[in-house]
Amino acid sequence: MSITDVLSADDIAAALQECRDPDTFEPQKFFQTSGLAKMSASQVKDVFRFIDNDQSGYLDEEELKFFLQKFESGARELTESETKSLMAAADNDGDGKIGADEFQEMVHS
Ligand SMILES: [Ca+2]
Ligand SMILES: [Ca+2]
C-alpha cells in the first residue's frame, strides 16, 4: 500500500511540518494532525504493517528511527531520544518492541 491510500497527503505534510526540527516530534500531536488518530483500529493496523519494514509483527527501535520516512521519504530520521520516547509511549508490556495492538492503543489513547 501507499500511505496516501489511507491518509491525506496534505495532512501528512502538515504533521511532518510540525516536527521538522530534531527533538520536536510528539507522538500524539503527530497522530492527530496526520489523521491517524481518526482512523479505525483495523486501518491503524494496516499502517502498522506498513511501518513494520521486515514484517516481523513488531516495531523495534531501528524501525522507529525511520518512522517519519514511512510517511514521506524525504522526512528526517527520529533522534535517539525521540525513538526512545516513542517506544516508551507504546511498549506497554516492556519487551522493547511495539506490537500491532500496542501501536493501535497508543494511536487511540
Ligand atoms: Ca519489525
Ligand atoms: Ca511491547
Side-chain angles (χ1 to χ4, degrees), residues 20-94:
R20 250 184 97 168
D21 298 325
D23 292 321
T24 59
F25 175 74
E26 294 172 33
Q28 292 307 330
K29 193 171 167 186
F30 185 85
F31 300 147
Q32 291 294 336
T33 306
S34 65
L36 206 57
K38 285 182 294 195
M39 294 168 68
S40 70
S42 76
Q43 284 176 314
V44 170
K45 285 180 185 174
D46 287 343
V47 173
F48 171 87
R49 281 188 284 273
F50 179 69
I51 299 168
D52 181 15
N53 253 339
D54 62 359
Q55 305 290 306
S56 65
Y58 294 95
L59 304 181
D60 57 28
E61 282 195 12
E62 195 57 29
E63 287 166 328
L64 291 184
K65 190 172 154 190
F66 302 107
F67 182 82
L68 296 178
Q69 295 179 357
K70 299 302 285 190
F71 292 85
E72 160 64 57
S73 57
R76 67 178 177 87
E77 292 174 13
L78 291 182
T79 65
E80 195 177 336
S81 72
E82 286 171 329
T83 303
K84 288 196 186 317
S85 45
L86 180 56
M87 177 64 77
D91 186 16
N92 291 327
D93 63 7

